[in-house]
Amino acid sequence: NDIDVRMEVWDNFGTFAKAFMTMFEITMSPGGWNRTGRILIRTVSGSYAIFFVAYNFIVSFAMIRIITAVFLKDTLNVAASDQEAVMREQMKQNEKLVARCKDAFMRADTDGTGELSLEELQTVSETQEFQAWMRANELESHEISGIFHLLDDGNDGVLTFDEFFQGVMRLRGGARQVDMISLMSETKRVMDSMQEVRDSF
């Protein structure tokens, strides 16, 4: 009857605390507005239908956005962690590569001058250990003379470690054939000779 309906409406919305708890239940419980909302719509005003439809739409949209943001944040954190791990691994690989090149350079530098001559490089290239290192970097040990002249950017007949390391980085990896290395070396020599001729005039 009318008294029972009024009492139920009062129990749900009679005070601020009761209204707050009712709206909290409606917000957190899917379909929780069904009984309470229908009482207001049927007995108080049909306009409450607009309120509950709009309220549930806004709440549902907001919760979906929040859940999406949480998952997106987790995904970005995982991606960032993976990227950092890849970068750390790449840095470790680069450090190992520098260390191996440094070790090979020091073994070849038998006189301890910090520079490699062609004779020193040819001598060390005959050792199995250095040949294995060159194969690991996809360099041909029997083209050591061409490689030396190709790496000698200063054209001073010796290789510094920087020239050695940077040259190895240029030549390693990919499909580089012995003929290509020789061709590049000969081209470099011809260009140097032409420059000397120009300078003489």
Side-chain angles (χ1 to χ4, degrees), residues 49-111:
I50 299 175
F51 167 78
F52 280 107
V53 170
Y55 181 79
N56 278 277
F57 175 79
I58 294 172
V59 170
S60 298
F61 179 77
M63 294 184 69
I64 290 173
R65 294 288 293 179
I66 291 172
I67 293 172
T68 302
V70 170
F71 277 108
L72 180 60
K73 181 181 178 181
D74 290 341
T75 301
L76 292 176
N77 288 339
V78 171
S81 298
D82 290 344
Q83 186 176 6
E84 290 176 0
V86 171
M87 292 178 63
R88 286 195 298 269
E89 183 62 26
Q90 185 64 44
M91 289 178 64
K92 289 181 181 179
Q93 293 298 328
N94 290 340
E95 290 173 358
K96 290 180 180 178
L97 182 59
V98 172
R100 293 193 188 102
C101 287
K102 188 69 175 178
D103 181 64
F105 184 87
M106 293 179 66
R107 286 202 307 272
D109 183 22
T110 55
D111 58 6

Side-chain angles (χ1 to χ4, degrees), residues 1-10 39 43:
N1 54 40
D2 188 57
I3 298 298
D4 292 336
V5 172
R6 286 174 179 271
M7 289 298 298
E8 187 166 1
V9 173
W10 169 263
I39 292 175
T43 62

Side-chain angles (χ1 to χ4, degrees), residues 51-191:
F51 167 78
F52 280 107
V53 170
Y55 181 79
N56 278 277
F57 175 79
I58 294 172
V59 170
S60 298
F61 179 77
M63 294 184 69
I64 290 173
R65 294 288 293 179
I66 291 172
I67 293 172
T68 302
V70 170
F71 277 108
L72 180 60
K73 181 181 178 181
D74 290 341
T75 301
L76 292 176
N77 288 339
V78 171
S81 298
D82 290 344
Q83 186 176 6
E84 290 176 0
V86 171
M87 292 178 63
R88 286 195 298 269
E89 183 62 26
Q90 185 64 44
M91 289 178 64
K92 289 181 181 179
Q93 293 298 328
N94 290 340
E95 290 173 358
K96 290 180 180 178
L97 182 59
V98 172
R100 293 193 188 102
C101 287
K102 188 69 175 178
D103 181 64
F105 184 87
M106 293 179 66
R107 286 202 307 272
D109 183 22
T110 55
D111 58 6
T113 60
E115 295 177 330
L116 292 184
S117 64
L118 176 58
E119 292 74 16
E120 286 178 318
L121 196 58
Q122 287 175 331
T123 300
V124 75
S125 67
E126 297 175 359
T127 64
Q128 293 184 353
E129 188 176 5
F130 195 82
Q131 290 176 5
W133 177 83
M134 293 193 67
R135 285 194 298 271
N137 288 281
E138 301 181 32
L139 300 174
E140 297 292 339
S141 59
H142 56 275
E143 276 296 316
I144 200 68
S145 178
I147 293 174
F148 179 88
H149 291 294
L150 191 60
L151 301 187
D152 185 16
D153 292 332
N155 296 319
D156 51 4
V158 292
L159 297 180
T160 65
F161 175 72
D162 288 340
E163 289 177 327
F164 180 77
F165 178 72
Q166 292 173 9
V168 170
M169 292 300 97
R170 290 198 306 267
L171 296 177
R172 72 189 298 268
R176 274 179 300 276
Q177 302 296 329
V178 175
D179 291 342
M180 181 174 291
I181 295 176
S182 299
L183 178 61
M184 292 173 66
S185 179
E186 290 301 323
T187 301
K188 185 172 180 290
R189 290 179 186 177
V190 171
M191 294 298 293

Side-chain angles (χ1 to χ4, degrees), residues 14-47:
T15 65
F16 174 79
K18 291 179 179 180
F20 179 83
M21 288 301 299
T22 300
M23 294 307 297
F24 181 78
E25 291 174 355
I26 292 173
T27 302
M28 301 304 296
S29 176
W33 72 277
N34 187 29
R35 175 176 171 77
T36 306
R38 288 181 184 278
I39 292 175
L40 292 178
I41 294 169
R42 288 199 305 265
T43 62
V44 179
S45 173
S47 300

